[in-house]
């Protein structure tokens, strides 16, 4: 029988390897930017055309490559960054696997110009499908200029798998931000189709955060900084009032490498618990510097997941460091920071710092002699606290696989008063109510029906109504629009403006007349009827926030996310007084919905209490 095993040709092997490293244009962006950082560049420019599908180009002023190195760099497992297995545990560079350029050259057309510092001529190389097409000397600046064109031109199946330009561009912006955030002392720019989207001058971390996330964070950042023999942590968290409905502005870097860690995220959220509303996410940009031998970054091809030698210790450290800075900023009696276990377990450290405690701390004469000018992050405690929705201050509960020792308690949030342990979810039948409607607690509408009575949650009901109305608009049923008295300008952080551009066509259908106005600015000319004049900007910002929040859930289509965001944003809130007329309209609209009994997210809209069941409860 003939032997059947072949060695794969190099270009095929590279294409397969590329599957892990280069999934989309943004993956190439990450690898090329990291190479520029590793080369010691101080200025790094990124250019993309067609969301990177046509071109991803990175120009750096780093140390460049010799002629031989330039050629070698495209070989698989070719790296200047490690030499033996021991080096793997002392990594100081972003790259080390020697796979990126080989992978890129396997799935795109690549042009490289590079010149080593101090040399007179540089090297030009053109390579496609892993085959070198041209190599010659070239006059070029010191540093490296690499272009990746027509990604996946030779793997059509993968090219077809790419998302819309708007969506691919957003991935690119995400990767760009993660690297630019980690290296504030370097200049970065991002130009998309000839338009400069980011221009980030060298500066401090604080300046970089504001450059990227927007001016709204200036004066709203609390510094985190703790040093121990084991590790250092530094960075910033947003003051509690800047917490948003989206998880977007959260960055963890370990030895300057962006990582995703639900576990460490939980540590920060825990430090914030009781200071922010449930379901809201604080901004954080935190850096952990740790001896590289205490972690394994080689567990994932794109290195976004890492393993720590002692994960629990890091958790405790992160949580304490963040709590400590929040406590300082909130003017608590200062705790001495120490990883000593007895201190760790003391109430002051392990129990959340509640607004009540904060209030009592700031009420003391000790506090009052403590003048504001000594406080770097002074907040107006009383008024701030009073605006916090008491209902939202219940202990947060996060869905995480680890529960011991993490202060997770079940909130009583949606529990119905105890006599009604198992309220029966009523089915949607038309015309289910009779008689007059009563509003209770400015939140619920009680209506009698033939079986008993139903309690409608006004906010959930309105969310359902709006959702169906917007869904119909998407099907072509026009929505009434009011033109703004004065057009409002809205200025967004660069990443958000990329997002808004993506949503504009659908927003038009839904009644928002928004137009780009250059430089991350947009003009709102009109909004769906019902948005109070002057609130157009605010409502649109909230929709974007909510959209980003839903964005974490990739199972929804873009439209679905937008519909849900708008319905959520525009629904009348619990706590709003409704007139008799308004209640009637709400109930009528609700029972004209295709589905009346749940919100788009599956929360109950009304509960039915049947007479016979109530009789039983009363022992009749
Ligand atoms: P890795 O970064 O893991 O070493 P890459 O495939 O990304 O692997 O790059 C291979 C090698 O090419 C690097 O080790 C480095 O020596 C060289 N190189 C890549 N990009 C640059 C650059 N922008 N400037 C200088 N050298 C570079
Ligand atoms: Mg690399």
């Amino acid at each position: 029988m003939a032997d059947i095993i072949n060695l794969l040709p190099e270009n095929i092997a590279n294409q397969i390897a590329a599957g892990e490293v280069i999934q989309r244009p943004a993956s190439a962006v990450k690898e090329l930017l990291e190479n520029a950082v590793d080369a010691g560049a101080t200025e790094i420019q990124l250019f993309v055309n067609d969301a990177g599908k046509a071109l991803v180009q990175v120009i750096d002023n780093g140390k460049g490559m010799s002629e031989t190195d330039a050629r070698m760099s495209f070989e698989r497992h070719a790296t200047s960054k490690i030499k033996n297995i021991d080096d793997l545990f002392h990594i100081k560079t972003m790259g080390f696997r020697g796979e990126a350029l080989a992978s890129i050259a396997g799935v795109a057309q690549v042009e490289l110009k590079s010149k080593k510092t101090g040399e007179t001529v540089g090297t030009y190389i053109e390579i496609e499908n892993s085959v070198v097409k041209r190599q010659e000397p070239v006059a070029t600046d010191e540093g490296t200029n690499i272009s990746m064109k027509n990604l996946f031109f030779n793997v059509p199946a993968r090219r077809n798998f790419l998302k819309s330009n708007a969506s691919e561009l957003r991935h690119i912006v995400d990767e760009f931000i993660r690297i630019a955030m980690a290296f504030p002392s370097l200049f970065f720019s991002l130009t998309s189709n000839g338009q400069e989207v980011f221009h980030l001058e060298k500066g401090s971390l604080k300046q970089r955060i504001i450059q990227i996330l927007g001016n709204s964070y200036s004066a709203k950042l609390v510094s985190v900084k703790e040093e121990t023999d084991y590790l250092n942590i530094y960075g910033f968290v947003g003051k509690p009032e800047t917490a948003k409905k989206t998880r977007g502005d959260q960055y963890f870097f370990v030895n300057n490498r962006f990582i995703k860690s639900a576990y460490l995220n939980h540590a920060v959220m825990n430090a914030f618990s009781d200071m922010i509303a449930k379901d809201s996410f604080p901004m954080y940009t935190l850096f952990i510097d740790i001896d590289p031998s205490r972690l394994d970054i080689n567990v994932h091809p794109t290195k976004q997941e890492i393993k720590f030698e002692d994960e629990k210790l890091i958790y405790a450290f992160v949580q304490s460091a963040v709590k400590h800075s929040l406590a300082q900023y909130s003017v608590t009696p200062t705790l001495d920071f120490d990883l000593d276990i007895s201190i760790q377990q003391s109430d002051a450290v392990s129990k959340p710092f509640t607004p009540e405690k904060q209030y009592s701390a700031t009420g003391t004469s000790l506090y009052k002699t403590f003048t504001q000018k000594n406080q770097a992050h002074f907040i107006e405690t009383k008024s701030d606290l009073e605006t916090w929705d008491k209902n939202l201050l219940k202990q947060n509960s996060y869905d995480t696989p680890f529960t011991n020792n993490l202060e997770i308690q079940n909130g009583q949030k949606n529990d119905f008063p105890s006599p009604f342990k198992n309220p029966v979810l009523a089915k949607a039948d038309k015309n289910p109510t009779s008689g007059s409607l009563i509003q209770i607690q400015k939140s619920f509408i009680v209506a009698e029906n033939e079986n008993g009575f139903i309690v409608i949650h006004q906010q959930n009901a309105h969310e359902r109504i709006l959702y169906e109305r917007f869904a119909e608009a998407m099907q072509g049923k026009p929505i009434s629009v009011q033109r703004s008295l004065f057009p409002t300008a809205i200025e967004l952080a660069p990443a958000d403006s990329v997002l808004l551009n993506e949503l504009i066509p659908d927003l038009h259908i839904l009644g928002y007349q928004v137009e780009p106005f250059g430089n991350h600015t947009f003009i709102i000319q009109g909004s769906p009827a019902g948005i109070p004049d002057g609130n157009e900007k605010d409502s649109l910002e909230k929709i974007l926030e909510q959209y980003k929040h839903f964005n974490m859930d990739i199972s929804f289509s873009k439209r679905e996310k937008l519909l849900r965001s708008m319905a959520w944003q525009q629904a009348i809130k619990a706590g709003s007084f409704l007139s008799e007329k308004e209640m009637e309209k709400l109930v009528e609209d609700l029972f004209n919905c295709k589905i009346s009994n749940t919100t788009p997210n599956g929360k109950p809209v009304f509960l039915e209490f049947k007479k016979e069941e109530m009789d039983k409860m009363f022992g009749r």
Side-chain angles (χ1 to χ4, degrees):
M1 235 208 278
D3 299 329
I4 52 170
I5 298 179
N6 301 314
L7 266 182
L8 288 175
E10 186 182 297
N11 61 333
I12 311 260
N14 282 340
Q15 279 179 20
I16 294 172
E20 287 194 330
V21 189
I22 308 295
Q23 279 133 7
R24 49 173 18 116
S27 334
V29 164
K30 171 175 186 283
E31 297 296 336
L32 298 180
L33 290 176
E34 287 186 352
N35 281 349
V37 169
D38 284 346
T42 55
E43 299 196 353
I44 301 172
Q45 296 166 276
L46 167 65
F47 297 84
V48 297
N49 286 347
D50 260 359
K53 293 173 187 170
L55 171 78
V56 172
Q57 179 177 25
V58 172
I59 305 180
D60 71 53
N61 67 348
K63 66 182 178 206
M65 284 181 267
S66 70
E67 191 186 337
T68 318
D69 283 350
R71 176 63 194 83
M72 268 296 281
S73 68
F74 291 104
E75 295 297 327
R76 209 134 53 94
H77 311 305
T79 179
S80 55
K81 298 168 193 174
I82 57 172
K83 292 205 167 59
N84 53 48
I85 194 71
D86 280 351
D87 291 348
L88 202 51
F89 301 99
H90 304 97
I91 296 218
K92 294 247 157 58
T93 51
M94 306 294 288
F96 59 84
R97 294 167 59 114
E99 288 177 323
L101 292 190
S103 298
I104 289 171
V107 291
Q109 298 157 334
V110 179
E111 280 175 38
L112 170 84
K113 281 194 253 176
S114 191
K115 190 170 83 175
K116 259 174 98 93
T117 321
E119 300 281 312
T120 44
V121 279
T123 307
Y124 173 85
I125 293 184
E126 209 180 296
I127 184 164
E128 171 179 314
N129 204 5
S130 301
V131 178
V132 178
K133 297 266 153 169
R134 260 167 78 187
Q135 174 163 0
E136 60 198 34
V138 71
T140 182
D141 292 333
E142 284 179 1
T144 300
N145 178 339
I146 184 164
S147 302
M148 179 193 83
K149 295 180 180 166
N150 303 320
L151 178 62
F152 300 139
F153 79 102
N154 53 350
V155 208
R158 300 201 45 207
R159 185 155 180 105
N160 294 339
F161 199 69
L162 295 177
K163 299 271 170 51
S164 68
N165 279 7
S167 152
E168 293 297 342
L169 186 60
R170 200 140 40 75
H171 285 288
I172 289 177
V173 168
D174 285 347
E175 294 294 354
F176 175 87
I177 287 177
R178 290 165 183 176
I179 292 171
M181 198 68 111
F183 299 96
S185 62
L186 312 182
F187 168 87
F188 286 92
S189 67
L190 163 55
T191 304
S192 166
N193 291 337
Q195 203 197 340
E196 193 173 62
V197 187
F198 286 92
H199 183 98
L200 307 175
E201 295 294 353
K202 303 166 189 173
S204 65
L205 174 60
K206 193 171 191 170
Q207 286 165 330
R208 181 63 44 103
I209 291 174
I210 292 165
Q211 284 171 329
I212 293 177
L213 301 181
N215 252 329
S216 60
Y217 282 112
S218 64
K220 302 266 181 196
L221 298 175
V222 180
S223 156
V224 176
K225 191 170 171 59
E226 302 290 352
E227 297 185 351
T228 68
D229 291 344
Y230 192 80
L231 54 73
N232 298 336
I233 179 169
Y234 63 94
F236 292 90
V237 295
K239 290 187 180 178
E241 73 261 29
T242 63
K244 293 185 176 174
K245 276 277 165 194
T246 164
R247 199 188 283 279
D249 300 339
Q250 301 188 329
Y251 301 90
F252 253 116
F253 299 90
V254 173
N255 294 350
N256 277 337
R257 190 185 300 282
F258 172 82
I259 58 146
K260 288 182 181 156
S261 167
Y263 188 66
L264 294 188
N265 173 65
H266 188 275
V268 181
M269 295 301 271
N270 226 9
F272 267 93
S273 64
D274 271 21
M275 299 190 94
I276 57 172
K278 187 173 84 56
D279 292 342
S280 70
F281 300 92
M283 187 297 278
Y284 61 78
T285 303
L286 293 172
F287 290 76
I288 295 174
D289 283 352
I290 184 167
D291 182 341
S293 66
R294 297 199 187 281
L295 40 94
D296 184 357
I297 41 183
N298 198 24
V299 290
H300 192 259
T302 65
K303 311 177 199 97
Q304 282 194 357
E305 284 156 35
I306 60 176
K307 269 209 206 87
F308 291 102
E309 182 188 67
D310 188 345
E311 203 172 41
K312 288 214 177 83
L313 185 63
I314 313 250
Y315 184 101
F317 192 90
V318 168
Q319 184 184 354
S320 309
V322 174
K323 264 191 184 168
H324 184 227
S325 20
L326 285 172
Q328 275 192 331
Y329 131 79
S330 322
V331 209
T332 47
T334 311
L335 313 164
D336 269 337
F337 185 80
D338 199 330
L339 278 174
D340 184 315
I341 199 73
S342 63
I343 295 182
Q344 278 294 304
Q345 286 170 345
S346 73
D347 279 3
V349 174
S350 65
K351 294 264 169 62
F353 186 64
T354 63
E356 284 77 10
K357 281 195 213 162
Q358 181 182 353
Y359 188 49
S360 65
T362 54
T364 63
S365 55
L366 176 71
Y367 166 72
K368 283 174 183 148
T369 58
F370 209 58
T371 58
Q372 290 183 21
K373 62 180 187 291
N374 292 331
Q375 293 301 304
H377 308 290
F378 179 77
I379 52 160
E380 294 287 339
T381 40
K382 187 153 188 286
S383 57
D384 266 16
L385 289 172
E386 278 173 353
T387 59
W388 283 355
D389 185 344
K390 281 269 185 302
N391 293 325
L392 297 176
L393 292 174
K394 299 252 170 70
Q395 177 79 25
N396 294 346
S397 63
Y398 302 109
D399 293 334
T400 51
F402 30 87
T403 48
N404 52 338
N405 201 15
L406 300 181
E407 298 166 11
I408 298 178
Q409 294 161 9
N410 275 328
Q412 308 101 320
K413 31 195 187 322
N414 287 328
D415 291 357
F416 212 74
S418 55
F420 309 109
K421 271 274 156 45
N422 267 320
V424 185
L425 255 188
K427 300 209 173 46
D429 45 7
K430 302 289 162 191
N431 257 339
T433 67
S434 58
S436 61
L437 303 166
I438 307 164
Q439 193 187 24
I440 293 179
Q441 297 285 335
K442 293 198 199 135
S443 301
F444 308 97
I445 300 169
V446 178
E448 191 174 355
N449 68 2
E450 51 190 25
N451 302 326
F453 68 94
I454 64 169
V455 180
I456 301 171
H457 190 282
Q458 67 188 39
Q459 182 172 346
N460 287 0
H462 200 213
E463 201 175 321
R464 161 57 64 186
I465 295 165
L466 291 174
Y467 173 79
E468 294 206 357
R469 189 171 301 158
F470 296 144
E472 283 176 350
M474 285 294 187
Q475 306 296 322
K477 187 172 172 184
I479 211 154
S480 44
V481 177
Q482 57 194 14
R483 280 193 76 80
S484 311
L485 240 40
F486 305 101
T488 331
I490 171 170
E491 203 192 326
L492 297 174
D496 287 351
S497 81
V498 172
L499 174 64
L500 184 56
N501 264 318
E502 180 185 348
L503 296 178
I504 280 181
D506 281 347
L507 281 167
H508 266 255
I509 301 175
L510 295 171
Y512 275 99
Q513 300 179 329
V514 203
E515 278 142 38
F517 201 62
N519 235 342
H520 315 312
T521 306
F522 297 80
I523 297 287
I524 311 175
Q525 309 267 17
S527 55
I531 306 273
D533 212 39
N535 273 17
E536 302 88 346
K537 177 166 174 268
D538 189 52
S539 70
L540 197 58
E541 280 169 348
K542 288 201 175 116
I543 291 168
L544 284 181
E545 283 305 317
Q546 184 64 14
Y547 183 91
K548 287 194 284 181
H549 181 55
F550 281 132
N551 234 357
M552 302 298 147
D553 198 335
I554 41 172
S555 60
F556 295 143
S557 72
K558 194 173 103 182
R559 280 209 167 154
E560 182 65 22
K561 283 185 276 198
L562 187 61
L563 294 179
R564 288 174 183 228
S565 303
M566 279 192 54
W568 169 85
Q569 197 281 319
Q570 286 175 27
I572 34 153
K573 301 291 175 274
S576 319
F577 172 77
L578 297 181
S579 69
E580 182 89 29
K581 276 235 159 54
E582 288 168 325
M583 286 193 276
E584 277 166 14
K585 176 92 175 82
L586 190 88
V587 172
E588 189 192 324
D589 287 350
L590 175 64
F591 291 101
N592 279 325
C593 283
K594 292 200 188 85
I595 298 171
S596 310
N597 59 347
T598 62
T599 66
N601 298 324
K603 291 188 189 132
V605 166
F606 58 86
L607 305 172
E608 185 176 33
F609 298 89
K610 294 206 173 96
K611 176 172 182 302
E612 27 187 286
E613 282 160 6
M614 286 189 292
D615 278 343
K616 267 194 220 138
M617 289 178 203
F618 287 105
R620 293 282 166 183

